[in-house]
Amino acid sequence: MTVHKSSTRKIAVDSHSRRFSAGFIGGGTTSPGEELMKSLQLLAAQEERESTPTFSSTIPAQENQNKNKRVGLFVMFRYSTNKERMLMVVGILMAAIAGLSMPIWLLLLAQSLEIFNQIGSIIAAG
């Protein structure tokens, strides 16, 4: 019997498990529970590292100012090309047209229903 190291533990390999080791749990693979425990331990270690205070040369008030700094609407497009600006304008126009199509359609429908109602009252009056 030979022993070889898998990804997490040493397992014994005999003639039966050598043929089927790739398809079974325990054939060199870790179970989902073990993977979950590993990820939870890594997450806890990462949170612990983030919660410990670190000393830096910057003042904390300056860090908060940099995080909360607002950017204007047109400043975001400072580095855009003319083609990108044109595509933004076309997109805004198309969105406006798409947004106005339903109210315009409803106005046209209301007018046509009024006309049909008037025609119906004329026919009924004789």
Side-chain angles (χ1 to χ4, degrees):
M1 174 165 62
T2 58
V3 176
H4 72 282
K5 185 175 184 201
S6 69
S7 61
T8 58
R9 61 186 177 270
K10 291 183 179 181
I11 58 170
V13 177
D14 57 350
S15 63
H16 296 293
S17 65
R18 192 175 301 144
R19 280 186 283 173
F20 303 110
S21 65
F24 292 123
I25 295 176
T29 62
T30 57
S31 69
E34 290 174 350
E35 291 295 328
L36 177 65
M37 291 304 295
K38 283 182 187 179
S39 63
L40 289 176
Q41 289 170 353
L42 289 173
L43 183 62
Q46 182 181 7
E47 287 177 357
E48 184 178 322
R49 274 185 265 129
E50 290 175 356
S51 67
T52 56
T54 57
F55 299 102
S56 63
S57 61
T58 60
I59 300 170
Q62 289 177 349
E63 289 179 9
N64 288 338
Q65 288 176 355
N66 291 339
K67 288 181 184 177
N68 297 331
K69 187 176 180 182
R70 293 185 178 215
V71 178
L73 178 65
F74 296 107
V75 175
M76 293 189 324
F77 299 110
R78 181 184 302 171
Y79 301 107
S80 63
T81 62
N82 287 334
K83 181 180 178 182
E84 292 170 341
R85 290 179 189 146
M86 182 192 65
L87 288 174
M88 287 294 292
V89 169
V90 168
I92 290 170
L93 289 175
M94 292 298 153
I97 291 170
L100 287 174
S101 64
M102 186 64 146
I104 291 172
W105 179 79
L106 288 174
L107 289 174
L108 293 174
L109 179 66
Q111 288 177 357
S112 63
L113 289 176
E114 280 183 32
I115 292 171
F116 288 140
N117 191 12
Q118 290 172 0
I119 293 172
S121 62
I122 291 172
I123 292 174

